[in-house]
Each structure stands twice: as structure tokens, then as C-alpha cells.
Amino acid sequence: MAHDAESADAALPFHVQENRRYWDEMAHEWVGGGERAWARDEPDWGIWGVPEHELDLLPADMRGLDAVELGCGTGYVSAWMARRGARVTGIDNSAEQLATARRLAAEHGIDLTLVHGDAEATPFADASFDFAISEYGAAIWCDPERWLPEAHRILRPGGRLVFLGHHPWAQVCAPLDGSPVVQRMERPYFELGRLDWTEATIEPGGVEFNLTVSDWFALFRRVGFAVEDYREPRPDPGDDAEDRFFVTRGWARRFPSEQVWKLRKL
Ligand SMILES: C[S@@+](CC[C@H](N)C(=O)[O-])C[C@H]1O[C@@H](n2cnc3c(N)ncnc32)[C@H](O)[C@@H]1O
């Protein structure tokens, strides 16, 4: 059995294997945040906790909708959708993250279908879902050339895909050693694509992806998504030195640290 699991892992692309290793190892650090997010009824989003009423990522009424979260982690976005009436499936690459999601679903009495797998190649049938979402899951850890066609395949015609992750500006200004963003360009914007953090000095591990804005548009067109909205969440004023992950509040007040894409399957 263990041998089967190992050979299945070995068949995955390098970044999916590396991100599985990284997230299984990091999962214990995400338990507390997951518990707090599960306890909130009103969603807030991203590293700055921008409230749902400012961003409108979820339909207010999701009754009768089949929804999927791609890279669900501890599952709190899935819980928010289930509380709005959706039938929710969450898929995640990390068994450890899913263990937290399963425990919290049981504790909160919320019925979720939770699947261990790769959001770039899911086990779901064509046209299974009306709504797909990723908050820093597939949105940043999956190869857009692979996960966007997959999201398109499993959505029904007219279905919506919403995702939130790092803004290209933040990654252009992020030093390669993993230290916080600076007001200087550290890598070429036109060479974004794959961001490999396995050699970083600070908290090494993981492979992320991002694209230039024009490349995101080109990919959406090629895959068959129409863009309905694009948002750049901004934190409230506060302590400029406050550091969340690799961004400070002062930086994120001046420059966009996050982006939201809202798409519809054509
Ligand atoms: C930051 S969490 C996202 C969940 C939650 N919204 C949050 O912000 O905590 C990132 C999640 O993406 C998952 N992930 C990374 N690569 C993935 C892949 N190829 N398929 C599915 N999930 C993946 C990780 O296992 C991890 O649980």
C-alpha cells in the first residue's frame, strides 16, 4: 500500500510532489488560522482579511449549486459556501491539511466531500460544478497552463471561477532569498511564470506560479473563460511595519499585493 502511494507520488510533476511535501510539513502551522476562519460566518479574504462585502467573491445564496474549492487547505472557504447552501467538494494535495479540514467539518457539523488529489488533474467528471474557487490554493501552487483547463473542464457552461492570490507586483519585488518585499524590482516581470522557493534562505520550500497580466488574459481567452471582474484588494490603514507572510502593510497600502480574478466559462 505504502509502495503504491509512493509510486503514485513519483508520477506527479516535480512541483506537485514538492508542494505536497512542503504542505504536509507546514500543515501544523495552519491549524490555528483554519480554526479561527471556520468560526467566522462572514468571509474575509487573503493575507489582509479584506471583508466579503468589499470583494463579493461568493454568491450570497448558493442553494442548489455544486461548488468546488481547488486547494482547499483546512476547508474554511468550503465551509462558508456550505453555509450559503451549496453542495461542496474540496480537493487538496496535502493529506495533512485535509486531516484538519475533516476534523473541523465534523466539529462544526458541516457536510463536505473532501478529496486528496491534484487540482491540475482532478478525478471529477466533465461539467460537475457551477462554481469553483481558490484562495491561495491552485491559484498560486498549480501551473496555470494545467489547472485552468482543468477548472474549465469540470465547470458547467456559464459556471464561474473565482481565484485570489499574489499580485505580480509583489512577486517582482520579492527578494529571491524569501525575505519581505522591497520597493525595488528583484526579478523581471516578463519572466514571472514559475517561482521556485526550494533554494530560498528564509523558509525554503514550495514552487509557486504567477503570470503577467497580459499572459493571464491570453490564457483565459485560449481556455475559454470570459473575465467578469479583476480586483486588487488593499489592506486598511494600520501599522505600516506589520509583516504578513512576505508583505508589510505599508507596502501593500502603496502597491498591489494581491489580485482577484472573476471568470465565467464561455
Ligand atoms: C494557503 S493554502 C489554501 C487554503 C486556504 N484558502 C488558506 O489560504 O489557508 C494552500 C493549499 O494549496 C494546496 N495545494 C498545493 N498544490 C496543490 C495541488 N496541486 N492541488 C491541490 N491543492 C494544492 C496545499 O496543499 C495547501 O493546502
Side-chain angles (χ1 to χ4, degrees):
M1 195 63 187
H3 181 259
D4 284 353
E6 273 167 33
S7 41
D9 270 16
L12 294 169
F14 168 77
H15 66 274
V16 180
Q17 290 183 49
E18 164 58 15
N19 289 338
R20 178 167 289 183
R21 183 204 64 73
Y22 176 73
W23 276 100
D24 278 343
E25 195 177 294
M26 295 291 287
H28 66 281
E29 293 187 17
W30 292 73
V31 172
E35 288 172 345
R36 287 188 292 280
W38 267 82
R40 282 196 291 279
D41 274 333
E42 169 71 2
D44 62 34
W45 299 101
I47 59 179
W48 302 108
V50 176
E52 168 66 3
H53 64 81
E54 282 183 32
L55 293 178
D56 283 328
L57 300 200
L58 297 181
D61 183 358
M62 298 186 75
R63 279 176 296 180
L65 296 186
D66 292 304
V68 63
E69 185 181 2
L70 301 167
C72 63
T74 58
Y76 56 85
V77 175
S78 292
W80 294 336
M81 295 194 289
R83 288 187 189 131
R84 289 171 183 237
R87 283 180 297 273
V88 184
T89 300
I91 183 168
D92 201 280
N93 191 27
S94 159
E96 297 297 323
Q97 287 276 83
L98 284 176
T100 306
R102 289 204 173 93
R103 173 176 65 78
L104 288 167
E107 283 174 19
H108 286 261
I110 289 188
D111 189 22
L112 301 176
T113 301
L114 294 168
V115 177
H116 186 215
D118 174 13
E120 297 178 0
T122 71
F124 311 128
D126 293 357
S128 298
F129 300 102
D130 307 292
F131 187 84
I133 189 163
S134 173
E135 185 208 32
Y136 284 98
I140 67 165
W141 300 101
C142 289
D143 181 345
E145 296 283 349
R146 293 167 57 93
W147 82 269
L148 278 168
E150 181 66 357
H152 188 271
R153 182 185 71 76
I154 63 176
L155 277 170
R156 299 185 176 125
R160 294 179 57 204
L161 169 64
V162 170
F163 65 96
L164 179 152
H166 302 301
H167 197 288
W169 273 57
Q171 283 171 317
V172 165
C173 296
L176 301 176
D177 68 359
S179 54
V181 286
V182 289
Q183 291 191 31
R184 190 178 57 240
M185 289 165 193
E186 295 282 312
R187 75 181 88 217
Y189 174 73
F190 288 115
E191 289 169 22
L192 273 174
R194 184 184 172 96
L195 297 114
D196 186 331
W197 298 105
T198 52
E199 303 291 322
T201 323
I202 302 165
E203 290 187 19
V207 178
E208 293 180 40
F209 296 84
N210 209 335
L211 298 177
T212 65
V213 172
S214 55
D215 281 348
W216 280 118
F217 269 98
L219 183 57
F220 299 150
R221 268 198 308 274
R222 207 166 356 109
V223 171
F225 281 115
V227 176
E228 295 203 319
D229 199 6
Y230 178 70
R231 306 291 290 272
E232 295 168 320
R234 189 181 185 203
D236 286 336
D239 175 6
D240 275 0
E242 184 188 348
D243 182 355
R244 296 204 186 173
F245 302 97
F246 71 113
V247 185
T248 56
R249 186 181 289 271
W251 194 98
R253 287 284 304 158
R254 293 177 187 86
F255 312 103
S257 65
E258 299 187 294
Q259 63 179 357
V260 175
W261 291 99
K262 299 185 193 176
L263 313 177
R264 189 173 292 276
K265 174 171 173 166
L266 293 169

